[in-house]
Amino acid sequence: MTLNRLIAPVSEHAMPAWIRRTALADIFGISFDALEEDPLYQVLDKLHPHRAAIETALIERERSLFKLDQTIYLYDLTSTYFEGACAHNPKAKLGHSRDHRSDCKQLVVGLVLNRDGFALTHEIFAGNTRDHLTLGPMIDRLRQRVELKEGATVVVDRGMAFDDNLAEIKARKLHYIVASRQPERNRWLAEFEHTDGFTPVLREPSPLNPAQMKTTIEVKICADTDEQTYVLCRSQQRIAKDRAIRSKQEARLLADIEKLSLRVANKKLIKPEKINQAIGRLLERYPRVARYYRLSHDEKTATLVSTFDADKHLTAEKLDGCYLLKSDRKDLTADETWRVYTLLTRAEDAFRDMKSPLVIRPIFHHKERRTDSHIFLCLLAYHLLTAIEKTLLDQGIHTSWASLRDALTTHQVCSVVLPTKDGSCLHIRKAATPEPDVQQIYRNLALSPHVITPKHTWTQPPNSD
């Protein structure tokens, strides 16, 4: 007896091998025994030129199936890395790796979602592209995909909280909600220290986990100017996390400073311009904590001088657990602004889904068009994943694709071989009876549990000729 899962997670890079481990051949009535990789690559080559039409059609179809919001747009970035040199892909560059693979070339992927988590458009940038330089091109791309109405709100993270970016959003007659960058937060220290005006955000536990303990969030609104409103956010539970992150980063920075000092002292680095370049790279590697240290090269003593800024460090400690949001919207309370901003976690969830189980990383393609198609294919799969989760959520079922997949992998297809007295064999290929929880999933998704029609085939005895 042989078994195949109706749905199997992708755990092998070779697509033909993965397909043969699933029941797709049974569902479609096609044999994949002779399937090779090259034809699949050729399909990728044909797919990507139609990306714009496909994305637009998907958006329209999802709008017809679900009641989707068209006033909030969530934009975030991630990176995905390559295996190999990728000499033929001009976008493959070394850069800030969100996968902690700074040794590998990478791409930066920008993704825009609506508030329900549906992907609207994406763009692929060179691996060394800075976050704030991507905002304009992504808004242009979004206008091509959807009817971007004036007054809609763009939600972005602190990596794009530059004045030029915010001015560009307003120039396009859109609103913004963004997390302020760390230096801007410092001037609000006095407001953070005073408890007056802070109100708690009421957060309901997840329906899947009624006993869940949500972190305590307090918010306070401050109108800085007629054009911009600030929301101060404070979390007691986040204090320990902020301090742990800073301590870890500081330890690494100090260790690297010591290594660089030894290189200078041992005359392995002599030229001042080379030493200054090394200092610049070091400070760029640890932006979170580098502001507390001033590094310089003393040419007279041929030593590396490190000066610690205790005042800046003390300010950072006082602001642990605090962060700052800003918006040009005047119609939102502090609570509402915080809740809209936290929708950005859906973009983080989308990236998490695309990296596992949809395996957007690592990339083994070395040609730009196939790399772009690989990412596009993962996004198409994400559309399906989101539609399934949304279909269930509209029925009051709070679950994730990972949980669904684990349940569905128990529904298998089996081959039963029955030998007869004359030496011939009857092969019966059929799906097993799904478990009750799987049957319920099929009902919720309006799918028939009888996805495969049983197939009977005979093989003749060896000497029947």
Side-chain angles (χ1 to χ4, degrees):
M1 178 184 292
T2 60
L3 299 175
N4 288 87
R5 292 176 177 175
L6 286 170
I7 294 182
V10 179
S11 60
E12 297 181 42
H13 297 298
M15 184 62 73
W18 172 78
I19 290 175
R20 286 191 283 269
R21 288 174 41 244
T22 72
L24 288 174
D26 301 282
I27 295 173
F28 294 118
I30 300 172
S31 174
F32 294 113
D33 290 342
L35 183 63
E36 298 179 354
E37 286 185 325
D38 286 346
L40 293 175
Y41 292 154
Q42 292 166 7
V43 171
L44 287 180
D45 293 340
K46 295 178 180 179
L47 177 67
H48 195 265
H50 303 286
R51 164 190 157 190
I54 293 171
E55 282 189 334
T56 301
L58 277 172
I59 293 168
E60 292 302 320
R61 180 58 174 163
E62 288 160 353
R63 282 180 179 173
S64 69
L65 291 173
F66 309 101
K67 187 178 180 180
L68 301 179
D69 177 84
Q70 299 183 54
T71 63
I72 302 292
Y73 297 96
L74 315 171
Y75 176 47
D76 205 357
L77 295 153
T78 191
S79 60
T80 181
Y81 63 92
F82 291 90
E83 292 288 356
C86 300
H88 302 292
N89 190 337
K91 292 179 183 176
K93 303 288 185 181
L94 293 174
H96 169 60
S97 174
R98 294 162 174 85
D99 299 315
H100 308 291
R101 289 302 305 268
S102 57
D103 59 315
C104 298
K105 290 184 178 181
Q106 65 170 23
L107 294 172
V108 172
V109 182
L111 180 65
V112 181
L113 308 176
N114 63 18
R115 71 182 305 157
D116 297 289
F118 283 88
L120 299 177
T121 189
H122 76 284
E123 190 55 79
I124 302 168
F125 302 96
N128 59 354
T129 305
R130 294 189 176 274
D131 292 3
H132 68 279
L133 299 177
T134 68
L135 183 61
M138 284 305 300
I139 294 178
D140 291 335
R141 182 73 67 185
L142 186 60
R143 284 191 184 278
Q144 296 170 8
R145 295 292 186 272
V146 302
E147 185 182 353
L148 189 57
K149 298 180 180 178
E150 293 182 5
T153 300
V154 178
V155 185
V156 292
D157 209 347
R158 61 173 52 90
M160 284 163 275
F162 291 86
D163 291 341
D164 290 347
N165 288 133
L166 303 185
E168 182 168 10
I169 293 174
K170 293 183 66 175
R172 295 169 184 262
K173 297 183 179 180
L174 303 170
H175 295 297
Y176 63 83
I177 296 177
V178 61
S180 296
R181 301 173 68 237
Q182 298 291 354
E184 188 176 14
R185 182 190 59 165
N186 295 350
R187 70 184 181 90
W188 294 91
L189 177 60
E191 291 288 347
F192 275 113
E193 288 184 321
H194 289 89
T195 58
D196 294 344
F198 277 97
T199 57
V201 175
L202 299 178
R203 306 178 67 197
E204 297 293 332
S206 168
L208 294 176
N209 185 9
Q212 182 184 35
M213 298 297 293
K214 289 286 189 180
T215 56
T216 303
I217 304 294
E218 294 180 315
V219 294
K220 177 167 67 172
I221 197 164
C222 296
D224 184 50
T225 66
D226 293 337
E227 296 182 355
Q228 194 158 248
T229 298
Y230 287 84
V231 176
L232 285 64
C233 310
R234 189 169 60 188
S235 169
Q236 286 295 323
Q237 289 87 343
R238 186 168 169 166
I239 292 176
K241 178 182 178 181
D242 284 351
R243 289 181 178 170
I245 292 173
R246 185 174 58 254
S247 297
K248 184 177 180 179
Q249 289 287 307
E250 276 191 284
R252 290 179 176 177
L253 173 62
L254 292 173
D256 284 354
I257 290 176
E258 180 64 24
K259 290 178 182 177
L260 183 56
S261 297
L262 289 174
R263 291 177 67 195
V264 174
N266 294 333
K267 300 188 182 303
K268 293 184 178 180
L269 271 181
I270 299 176
K271 294 182 178 180
E273 62 271 18
K274 293 292 185 181
I275 296 174
N276 289 330
Q277 288 175 8
I279 291 174
R281 288 194 296 269
L282 190 60
L283 297 179
E284 188 179 45
R285 194 179 306 148
Y286 303 100
R288 189 184 188 97
V289 294
R291 65 177 71 96
Y292 314 133
Y293 296 86
R294 189 177 298 108
L295 300 180
S296 61
H297 172 230
D298 189 329
E299 294 186 34
K300 293 181 179 179
T301 60
T303 58
L304 189 69
V305 180
S306 175
T307 306
F308 177 64
D309 193 326
D311 291 338
K312 284 187 178 180
H313 199 275
L314 180 61
T315 299
E317 288 183 339
K318 290 181 178 179
L319 288 170
D320 283 338
C322 303
Y323 54 100
L324 188 68
L325 307 179
K326 60 182 179 181
S327 175
D328 65 333
R329 290 186 60 170
K330 300 295 183 180
D331 59 326
L332 299 179
T333 65
D335 184 291
E336 290 169 335
T337 302
W338 180 85
R339 292 183 189 277
V340 173
Y341 175 75
T342 57
L343 290 174
L344 202 57
T345 58
R346 297 192 174 175
E348 297 171 2
D349 292 340
F351 291 137
R352 193 175 299 112
D353 286 333
M354 284 190 288
K355 292 182 178 182
S356 178
L358 300 181
V359 197
I360 201 173
R361 66 177 183 190
I363 297 175
F364 293 88
H365 302 289
H366 288 199
K367 294 182 179 179
E368 182 179 357
R369 68 177 186 275
R370 286 185 177 169
T371 297
D372 292 355
S373 297
H374 168 86
I375 293 171
F376 183 43
L377 197 63
C378 290
L379 278 165
L380 291 179
Y382 175 73
H383 274 275
L384 179 60
L385 181 156
T386 309
I388 291 172
E389 291 182 348
K390 176 64 174 172
T391 299
L392 297 175
L393 185 62
D394 287 348
Q395 300 174 56
I397 302 169
H398 297 258
T399 189
S400 67
W401 168 248
S403 299
L404 288 171
R405 187 191 65 192
D406 289 344
L408 293 173
T409 51
T410 64
H411 191 191
Q412 299 183 332
V413 181
C414 58
S415 293
V416 181
V417 181
L418 301 175
T420 62
K421 291 181 179 180
D422 64 358
S424 60
C425 291
L426 173 63
H427 296 256
I428 304 175
R429 185 72 171 165
K430 61 171 299 197
T433 302
E435 297 292 332
D437 59 334
V438 175
Q439 293 184 36
Q440 185 59 51
I441 292 172
Y442 288 151
R443 284 194 290 269
N444 294 135
L445 296 175
L447 298 173
S448 170
H450 307 293
V451 293
I452 295 174
T453 301
K455 182 179 180 181
H456 298 72
T457 56
W458 285 92
T459 57
Q460 298 301 317
N463 298 323
S464 59
D465 295 339

